[in-house]
Amino acid sequence: MKIVVASDIHGSAWACRKLLEAFDREGAGRLLLLGDILYHGPRNDLPREYAPKEVLAMLNAIKKELFCVRGNCDTEVDQMVLEFPILADYAVLPLADRLIYATHGHHFSPQHFPPFCDGDVLLYGHTHIWQAGSVGGHICLNPGSVAIPKGGNPPTYGVLEEETFSVRTMDGAVLGQTALGQQGVRGSKEERI
């Protein structure tokens, strides 16, 4: 199944609309949100078209196609208005003979890996900087941020399809990708693409 992966909407109605356009264009079966959905956070400036009520309406309309993990800016109050679960700290997705550990990134990250086996994949957000490569012999994937990208990057999202993860601009242009096969992990150099 093709999955669109996004992180750090931070209440931006503009970013949410662009993400939903990308989701439709990609023809994906699910949209995985890696947290920080409604609130912009105390360390961020207000994102473009900050309108959390518009974001929750857009996402509630596609609730059956969503699955989410909680970001450091997501709260129980947010869960009261969202009609899909957002309070799980992580999700584990099977991929062939290994697992994808999806989390926001404020607890587990390339600097603090979760307890997983060789070949498992870390999929996280939080940094607002996209990544598709390996760190410490583990594949680490980050779709960047759709609303408040950092490091000079444009707004981005990810696509997980079969054994490939790609990072794309909001118009669908591929910025980078990595194969998730076992051979891509063993003996690979640490890199940030």
Side-chain angles (χ1 to χ4, degrees):
M1 173 189 298
K2 186 176 190 179
I3 300 171
V4 167
V5 183
S7 189
D8 300 283
I9 297 171
H10 286 291
S12 169
W14 175 86
C16 192
R17 274 193 302 279
K18 291 293 186 184
L19 174 61
L20 296 182
E21 289 169 11
F23 179 62
D24 287 342
R25 183 179 61 246
E26 295 289 350
R30 297 287 180 160
L31 174 58
L32 168 59
L33 299 177
L34 298 176
D36 286 0
I37 298 169
L38 299 178
Y39 179 53
H40 65 89
R43 293 178 289 189
N44 296 311
D45 292 331
L46 287 174
R48 183 175 179 179
E49 290 185 38
Y50 182 65
K53 288 181 182 178
E54 289 181 40
V55 171
L56 73 90
M58 285 185 267
L59 295 177
N60 281 343
I62 63 162
K63 63 187 174 191
K64 292 181 181 179
E65 297 163 289
L66 294 175
F67 60 109
C68 306
V69 296
R70 181 175 61 130
N72 58 305
C73 293
D74 299 322
T75 69
E76 291 180 21
V77 172
D78 299 334
Q79 184 63 83
M80 294 171 70
V81 295
L82 293 168
E83 298 171 0
F84 50 92
I86 66 162
L87 295 178
D89 287 327
Y90 63 90
V92 178
L93 312 171
L95 177 70
D97 59 348
R98 61 197 163 285
L99 299 175
I100 297 175
Y101 192 97
T103 188
H104 179 62
H106 61 298
H107 293 301
F108 293 110
S109 69
Q111 292 75 42
H112 183 243
F113 286 110
F116 56 38
C117 299
D118 287 344
D120 289 348
V121 176
L122 177 65
L123 178 59
Y124 70 105
H126 185 60
T127 65
H128 298 222
I129 298 172
W130 68 271
Q131 178 179 20
S134 64
V135 175
H138 297 289
I139 292 178
C140 297
L141 311 172
N142 187 322
S145 173
V146 295
I148 310 172
K150 296 184 179 175
N153 290 298
T156 54
Y157 66 95
V159 174
L160 181 61
E161 187 171 20
E162 296 179 19
E163 298 246 350
T164 302
F165 179 80
S166 59
V167 176
R168 302 177 185 197
T169 63
M170 300 312 289
D171 64 2
V174 176
L175 294 177
Q177 70 181 35
T178 191
L180 305 182
Q182 291 278 20
Q183 67 280 5
V185 176
R186 293 195 178 116
S188 64
K189 280 181 21 178
E190 292 186 16
E191 60 183 345
R192 180 181 174 280
I193 301 172

